[in-house]
Each structure stands twice: as C-alpha cells, then as structure tokens.
Amino acid sequence: MFISSDQDPEIRVERTLNGETGTVHLKYFYKRKQLPAFMLDSKLSEQLAGYSLIEKDLETIINWLETINKLYPDGKEGKNNFIHGNDREVFNVVKSLFVSSLTFYAKCFTNCPGRRSRLNRKMIADEFREVHDEVIMYRNSFAAHSGHEKLEFAKSILVVNPSKNHELIVTQERAQPDYATMEGEVGFQNLVNHLLAVVREKQEKVYDKLIEDILSNADSIIKKCKKTKGLVVQLNKGASGG
C-alpha cells in the first residue's frame, strides 16, 4: 500500500540543515523506529518533484495576492488598471508582492535546470488564457524588463522659473505602477487557482506511473531495506558540492 507521508500522522520526518554547506539530511520514523528511505532518481520521480515545486510556487503566489487584497482591498473593485498609491509604506509592500507574484508565475512556464517539469499555455483553459497573456506581459515589461508597452518610464524635464531671473532646473520624473489589476472577471488569483488544480491532476497521473515503476522493482527495494545504507537521505549537495 502506498500513501503520502504527509497523510500518515504516524510517519515523522527529521530534517537537519548544515548551516555552513546548506546540505539537508532527512530521517524518517514510524513512532520511534527509523525507517529505510532512498532517494529516487528516475525520470518520473524527477518529474513529480518538479510539479511539486510548481505547486509550491502557485500556493505562494496565492498567499501573496491574498496579502495584497488585505493591504489594498479596493483593488478588487477598482476600475483602474494601473495603481500608484500615495501611502508608500503600504504600496512598497504591495509592489514587492506583485512583482514577486509575476516572477514566480513566469518561472512555472520556464525551463529550469532544477526542475524536470514546466507548465505551458496549452494546459490553461480557454477562459483563463487572456489573463495568462496579460500576466506574462506584465512580467516581461515591468517585473523583468522595461518593455515596449511602456508600463514604466523616466524623463528629464527642464523647468524655468521666471521669478528667479529665469533660473533653470533639470529634474527627472518617473512613472511606475505599484500594482496592476487584471481586466475581465477571471483575474490573476483565479488563474493561479485554476493552474493549481491542473498541476495537482498532473501530479496524480505521474504519481500513479511512478508507483507502477516502483512495484516492478519491489524485490530489490526490499533487499535494500535490510542494509543500513539509505536510512539517512541527503537531499542536496550543498554549496560546497560535497
């Protein structure tokens, strides 16, 4: 029988972080007994892990957008696409959360060396694709680059003061939104919720295939359980590469 460890309250994981190298070691316990555990390195297992990272990113985006809604509740009913707030203490946070959300969202659609999985536009239901394109545009033209859409700009202005013998003053004016609401009834957060459901469905399918693959090698896995090696799993190599 296969069950996810986070669904079994009797399975406990002990994580140890090496503060110098960044390596993480894992030990699994059933009650007080340490259990054999082995790192999976198949294509399916890497794909499943990649979807898990995407799932985490989408959940994080939802948390950030919910925080924006708490800080700026008028944004839900706002008719303006581009918002620049006067309360800089609040809107500096709103801007950072919005830019972070755009960046994390785009990352889910990018080939990343640390992931074997990515999303693509074809996975998105038709009613969400317009908002998706808008989010990617904001990411490309505001969060990551300054694009053709001119969402942000700066100009040098010459000001002449006749009252002071035509004193000349050169100043710079900048325009940059703190937050951009998405057009239509769908919205950014609904788009992310939709993709979260898509990713979880993908995870289930890959998980089922992975279990089939593991079952075909059940005898060799049971043999490994008789050895002490594999009791502790090193999750990553760490900064030193060791």
Side-chain angles (χ1 to χ4, degrees):
M1 177 182 180
F2 285 90
I3 184 169
S4 176
S5 62
D6 58 1
Q7 295 175 354
D8 188 341
E10 294 187 294
I11 299 295
R12 178 175 60 86
V13 59
E14 181 181 290
R15 299 177 179 87
T16 304
L17 169 68
N18 186 314
E20 294 182 0
T21 65
T23 54
V24 179
H25 292 87
L26 307 172
K27 294 180 182 179
Y28 293 86
F29 297 87
Y30 174 69
K31 297 182 179 179
R32 295 186 178 182
K33 183 178 180 181
Q34 187 175 349
L35 303 176
F38 308 95
M39 183 79 72
L40 297 174
D41 58 0
S42 67
K43 183 178 179 179
L44 283 172
S45 66
E46 291 294 324
Q47 188 179 8
L48 183 63
Y51 279 129
S52 176
L53 287 173
I54 292 173
E55 179 186 35
K56 178 64 176 175
D57 282 351
L58 294 174
E59 290 172 340
T60 300
I61 293 169
I62 290 172
N63 287 333
W64 285 338
L65 293 178
E66 287 177 346
T67 302
I68 289 175
N69 290 335
K70 291 176 182 177
L71 292 171
Y72 180 56
D74 293 340
K76 284 187 173 182
E77 285 75 34
K79 295 181 179 180
N80 298 325
N81 256 9
F82 304 103
I83 294 107
H84 183 83
N86 293 321
D87 187 342
R88 295 318 309 162
E89 186 174 347
V90 170
F91 278 91
N92 282 338
V93 177
V94 168
K95 179 186 287 186
S96 66
L97 292 173
F98 181 55
V99 170
S100 298
S101 298
L102 296 174
T103 304
F104 264 43
Y105 183 85
K107 184 172 66 169
C108 296
F109 292 83
T110 305
N111 283 321
C112 301
R115 299 181 180 182
R116 290 288 183 94
S117 303
R118 57 171 291 192
L119 304 182
N120 62 68
R121 193 176 182 272
K122 293 180 180 179
M123 297 177 178
I124 303 172
D126 291 344
E127 62 265 31
F128 293 98
R129 290 184 181 180
E130 184 178 349
V131 178
H132 162 80
D133 294 339
E134 197 174 359
V135 172
I136 294 299
M137 181 273 290
Y138 285 133
R139 181 266 179 189
N140 292 338
S141 296
F142 174 54
H145 313 284
S146 187
H148 297 295
E149 287 77 9
K150 301 295 183 182
L151 298 180
E152 62 173 2
F153 60 88
K155 296 290 184 180
S156 295
I157 309 294
L158 174 63
V159 180
V160 182
N161 188 351
S163 299
K164 285 191 174 183
N165 195 27
H166 294 86
E167 181 181 68
L168 304 180
I169 303 167
V170 175
T171 184
Q172 285 76 43
E173 290 294 331
R174 297 165 293 185
Q176 186 185 68
D178 292 319
Y179 182 49
T181 59
M182 305 298 167
E183 293 183 358
E185 297 180 358
V186 177
F188 192 4
Q189 190 164 336
N190 288 334
L191 167 65
V192 177
N193 279 317
H194 164 66
L195 277 173
L196 196 54
V198 170
V199 168
R200 286 170 177 166
E201 184 178 348
K202 291 281 185 184
Q203 280 182 296
E204 280 189 31
K205 291 180 179 178
V206 176
Y207 182 81
D208 290 341
K209 291 179 181 178
L210 178 60
I211 294 308
E212 290 179 10
D213 185 55
I214 291 172
L215 284 174
S216 65
N217 296 289
D219 291 339
S220 62
I221 294 173
I222 292 172
K223 287 181 181 179
K224 288 182 179 180
C225 292
K226 297 178 181 179
K227 301 178 182 179
T228 56
K229 185 179 180 181
L231 286 174
V232 180
V233 176
Q234 182 170 315
L235 188 61
N236 59 333
K237 291 184 179 180
S240 66

